[in-house]
Amino acid sequence: MRVVVIGAGIVGSSVAYEAAKAGAQVTVLEAGRIAGGASTTSFAWTNATGKRPHSYYALNVAGMRAHLDLAREFGHAPWFHQTGSIEWYANEADWSAQLQNANEVRDWGYGVEWISKARVAELEPEIDLSAIGDSPIVYYPEEGWIQPALYAAWLLRAAKEKWNADIRPYQGVKSVDVRNGVAKAVKTVDGAVYEADAIINCTGGWAAHVLDGVPAIPMASTMGIIGFTFPLATTLRRQFHMDDLDVRPDGAGRLMIHKISADALVTEMQPLDTAGREAKHLLDAVRKVLPAIQAIDMESIRTVIRPIPSDNLTCSGWIPGVEGYYVAVTHSGVSIAPHLGKAVAQEVVRGHAHESLHDFRPDRFLAAKNGMSGR
Ligand SMILES: Cc1cc2nc3c(=O)[nH]c(=O)nc-3n(C[C@H](O)[C@H](O)[C@H](O)COP(=O)(O)OP(=O)(O)OC[C@H]3O[C@@H](n4cnc5c(N)ncnc54)[C@H](O)[C@@H]3O)c2cc1C
């Protein structure tokens, strides 16, 4: 079976790896760099806290487990850091929601530990305990963080070396050739044609842009900002989350900083100044928790499109009315990707529907509009 995967972010890489492993002859066409889209500028925290409804929570948990499976499969996983994460809210008004969320996921089997400030000091001595005050502190030991570019590189290399997958960066797809309701081939911007028995769209936020010949996925993508400090003499190993601030190491001595209120400062992809207001917003927030950070410590600050299907949930399945054309697009893609890769490969290569994707089919967006039924 010939499978073309469009897009080589963390989702496309996972799908390509699993489809190749399942026996497909896989070609990956990526418009730019491997993992150069949202994946490489993602906070990349593997988690399922706050994910609702339950089926979406379960999909994220399946992703977290699949990350562990993948690490075992490779024997080592230089991209995966299962360090756990620490969470607290400064405002008392948020404590009951935190408690409710933690209790609910604990009842669903998620690892949840309420810890003391003394324990935080043991885990992460650089955190200023006065920033925590009297806040309850949750430690989620099963969570971690990923380096998505490394993840994509290792999976695609394995797909190529073990199963002869053809990986083609800088090959943007322009159109899908559909004949009599069946997707037959893709055509690149450069005019090259790749025939296929199945075509899998893994273009993340770009799924909202119509490829000629096939429908787009309705997306409600938002902008995200991630700041990277200079490499610093820090021993921080775990991510921490205080209110809407997320901080973690990047694996090479830098800290990655994300803050939801900073995301609202931009509405489109644009270059940002490392001394600008967005960088200041991020650094000011971190310095309250890690006093050693200086106001001049930002090395780079990037904007990125956060791929979000229009109802905030994963979209994975055959596109109604276009046989052989499948879409796999999701937010929380870093958490979900290794599971999604397996599930999509089962559906596309082996032809068996995967139960975990039952609630996330594209026909919830497209069937009514097109008057088409699913495959
Ligand atoms: C600021 C921020 C923080 C986040 N934090 C987290 C988090 O903590 N945990 C988590 O799980 N998720 C998080 N996410 C979401 C997660 O990063 C995404 O869900 C995930 O990266 C999506 O991966 P992807 O492979 O689908 O998309 P992408 O990485 O964007 O890959 C899509 C690829 O498709 C390519 N492409 C597009 N059009 C074409 C075309 N026509 N032809 C060929 N190639 C094409 C693009 O070049 C791109 O490389 C965050 C996202 C952002 C922005």
Side-chain angles (χ1 to χ4, degrees):
M1 177 183 211
R2 297 162 305 172
V3 170
V4 167
V5 177
I6 311 173
I10 196 162
V11 171
S13 303
S14 307
V15 166
Y17 174 77
E18 295 293 346
K21 190 165 78 177
Q25 177 54 55
V26 172
T27 302
V28 180
L29 300 172
E30 162 55 56
R33 294 194 314 275
I34 301 296
S39 296
T40 204
T41 310
S42 173
F43 191 73
W45 160 31
T46 55
N47 77 97
T49 48
K51 310 283 171 75
R52 303 292 190 279
H54 183 269
S55 56
Y56 186 58
Y57 160 85
L59 199 60
N60 281 267
V61 167
M64 292 166 71
R65 294 198 175 126
H67 274 294
L68 290 169
D69 291 343
L70 206 54
R72 277 189 286 270
E73 191 173 322
F74 275 72
H76 66 142
W79 59 83
F80 182 36
H81 308 267
Q82 196 188 25
T83 53
S85 68
I86 301 168
E87 175 202 85
W88 73 91
Y89 289 87
N91 296 323
E92 197 169 343
D94 295 320
W95 294 355
S96 66
Q98 180 195 33
L99 177 67
Q100 195 182 340
N101 176 54
N103 282 347
E104 189 163 50
V105 294
R106 187 202 55 207
D107 290 348
W108 290 342
Y110 204 75
V112 177
E113 295 173 20
W114 293 93
I115 61 172
S116 64
K117 283 204 279 190
R119 180 73 180 128
V120 173
E122 284 169 11
L123 292 172
E124 295 297 347
E126 290 176 30
I127 290 181
D128 181 354
L129 299 182
S130 69
I132 301 180
D134 295 327
S135 303
I137 311 158
V138 188
Y139 180 53
Y140 292 110
E142 296 159 328
E143 297 181 352
W145 49 277
I146 298 290
Q147 289 167 287
L150 287 186
Y151 174 105
W154 281 92
L155 267 66
L156 292 178
R157 178 172 147 188
K160 184 175 173 181
E161 289 180 354
K162 292 185 184 170
W163 304 296
N164 210 23
D166 186 9
I167 318 295
R168 296 184 175 249
Y170 301 103
Q171 288 288 315
V173 170
K174 185 172 183 329
S175 60
V176 177
D177 180 11
V178 181
R179 280 173 256 152
N180 299 322
V182 182
K184 294 283 189 188
V186 299
K187 191 171 193 180
T188 67
V189 174
D190 296 339
V193 173
Y194 294 84
E195 294 192 347
D197 303 302
I199 296 161
I200 310 177
N201 183 330
C202 300
T203 59
W206 287 271
H209 299 275
V210 181
L211 292 173
D212 295 346
V214 286
I217 296 298
M219 302 287 285
S221 298
T222 57
M223 293 305 303
I225 297 179
I226 297 271
F228 293 80
T229 66
F230 288 101
L232 302 171
T234 175
T235 59
L236 190 82
R237 288 185 57 228
R238 293 167 185 82
Q239 53 198 316
F240 66 82
H241 311 278
M242 184 190 82
D243 301 333
D244 69 340
L245 172 70
D246 308 311
V247 180
R248 71 163 173 87
D250 83 330
R254 298 177 189 81
L255 295 182
M256 281 181 75
I257 313 168
H258 173 247
K259 189 165 170 36
I260 292 168
S261 57
D263 292 346
L265 298 174
V266 294
T267 52
E268 57 187 25
M269 296 272 273
Q270 56 186 267
L272 295 179
D273 185 351
T274 53
R277 66 173 181 153
E278 299 85 4
K280 183 172 177 336
H281 190 70
L282 296 180
L283 283 173
D284 285 351
V286 178
R287 294 173 74 207
K288 290 181 184 143
V289 187
L290 301 174
I293 305 297
Q294 301 297 306
I296 51 162
D297 275 344
M298 195 68 90
E299 182 184 73
S300 68
I301 179 163
R302 302 184 203 156
T303 54
V304 60
I305 296 171
R306 177 187 281 106
I308 311 180
S310 65
D311 59 2
N312 295 325
L313 300 175
T314 300
C315 175
S316 188
W318 299 104
I319 292 293
V322 190
E323 194 176 332
Y325 180 59
Y326 192 106
V327 170
V329 179
T330 189
H331 185 47
S332 297
V334 173
S335 302
I336 297 170
H339 171 76
L340 192 57
K342 277 192 198 355
V344 171
Q346 174 176 312
E347 300 204 323
V348 171
V349 184
R350 301 207 169 96
H352 302 306
H354 201 287
E355 203 184 339
S356 68
L357 299 180
H358 184 264
D359 287 356
F360 306 106
R361 299 307 187 188
D363 55 12
R364 71 185 190 271
F365 302 123
L366 299 172
K369 197 168 145 199
N370 296 344
M372 296 164 176
S373 61
R375 173 167 159 154

